[in-house]
Amino acid sequence: MIDDWRPTATIETLRDRARLIAEVRAFFAERGVLEVESPVLGHGGSTDPHLASLSARATTPAGPERLWLQTSPEFAMKRLLAAGAGPIFQLARCFRDGEVGRRHNLEFTMLEWYRPGLPLDGLIEETTALVRRVLGRELGDEAGPLRCRRYRELFREALAVDPFTAPLADLRRLAEEQGGLAMADAPRDDCLDLLLSLVIEPQLGREGIDVVVDYPASQAALARRHRDPEDGAWVASRFELYLEGLELANGYDELTDVAEQAARFAEDNAARRAAGLPEVDVDSRLLAALEHGMPEGSGVALGIDRLIQLALGKSSVAEVMAFATPRC
């Protein structure tokens, strides 16, 4: 442990990182997108049952309070949108408890941006353009062509099962076969997430950029929902972008209905209680901003550490961070 003080990235890599982040800022400056900063701490956290928020006790003018470290700058940025900020982006420090590994770190940098008035297809094009620009400085045109893949079709091709209509017992059996874990009591989305991560994701983005669309409606998070033209099933109006088996970005046609958002927060905390997880304080100021009126549009979060990892050919995000979690 004598060298435990040393950074996890080389100084030369940190210079490359700074250069690529400058490229990101130039990309948005050329498009007239305003860079903003929002607090790392907030009174509300992410209620998503699949995310583990960190919290801290703080002394505020109101007295001792629990504040939440942001898992994403989404809530604060949407409040700025409701206040009339127009198109905005942020390079934000974010925190997710327990997420440490080759592709994860407890503390990381999220690039997030919002485009009022822009439909999801337009945001997919812009996200792809940004990824190509950052990678292009290192890899030329190796990012390859763009393919848009439907979530449902990926499951049919890889596992010969329809994720929307297959009996839960069949999904549990498949998940046990693929993951080697007991899934007898697993809910539907947990089975689908395991199958996606173990079977489908490793094959995505191998011949170019793959964008996955039309996720199950239960996985809409803060996105709108729409009808699948195939059979009228509700699906989430969101996308994820993959390259080299790595998920880089998650974009939404943003939900603006305050009643629907409040209901989803309540459903999330109910799911957390059922799973034995602690509840997370709801961001009441986000709900107030939605009630005031947030413009329709789309937004996306992109893991900048992962993108830089790919651009520089590194094997883990720790190699592009000054001090990854074990050495922080």
Side-chain angles (χ1 to χ4, degrees), residues 120 124 146-152 154-155 196 200-201 204 209-215 236 238-242 249-251:
L120 203 60
I124 289 173
L146 170 67
R147 297 186 304 175
C148 198
R149 315 293 305 279
R150 294 177 67 231
Y151 181 97
R152 198 173 194 176
L154 288 171
F155 273 81
L196 182 71
I200 297 172
E201 283 186 349
L204 293 175
I209 295 173
D210 279 334
V211 169
V212 181
V213 298
D214 294 347
Y215 282 74
R238 52 174 288 228
F239 73 88
E240 292 192 8
L241 184 148
Y242 289 85
N250 184 9

Side-chain angles (χ1 to χ4, degrees), residues 89-167:
F89 83 97
Q90 181 171 184
L91 287 156
R93 301 301 289 175
C94 298
F95 304 82
R96 297 183 182 181
D97 197 14
E99 297 197 8
V100 179
R102 190 167 64 88
R103 297 178 172 184
H104 299 87
N105 198 65
L106 188 148
E107 180 181 0
F108 60 99
T109 301
M110 183 85 83
L111 167 64
E112 195 152 328
W113 74 97
Y114 292 87
R115 285 291 208 164
L118 186 69
L120 203 60
D121 287 348
L123 187 63
I124 289 173
E125 292 178 4
E126 186 166 69
T127 306
T128 304
L130 173 67
V131 169
R132 290 190 189 284
R133 176 155 172 174
V134 172
L135 295 180
R137 292 294 185 263
E138 309 298 322
L139 304 176
D141 196 32
E142 290 183 25
L146 170 67
R147 297 186 304 175
C148 198
R149 315 293 305 279
R150 294 177 67 231
Y151 181 97
R152 198 173 194 176
E153 289 303 321
L154 288 171
F155 273 81
R156 287 169 172 166
E157 293 170 10
L159 293 158
V161 65
D162 188 321
F164 294 174
T165 62

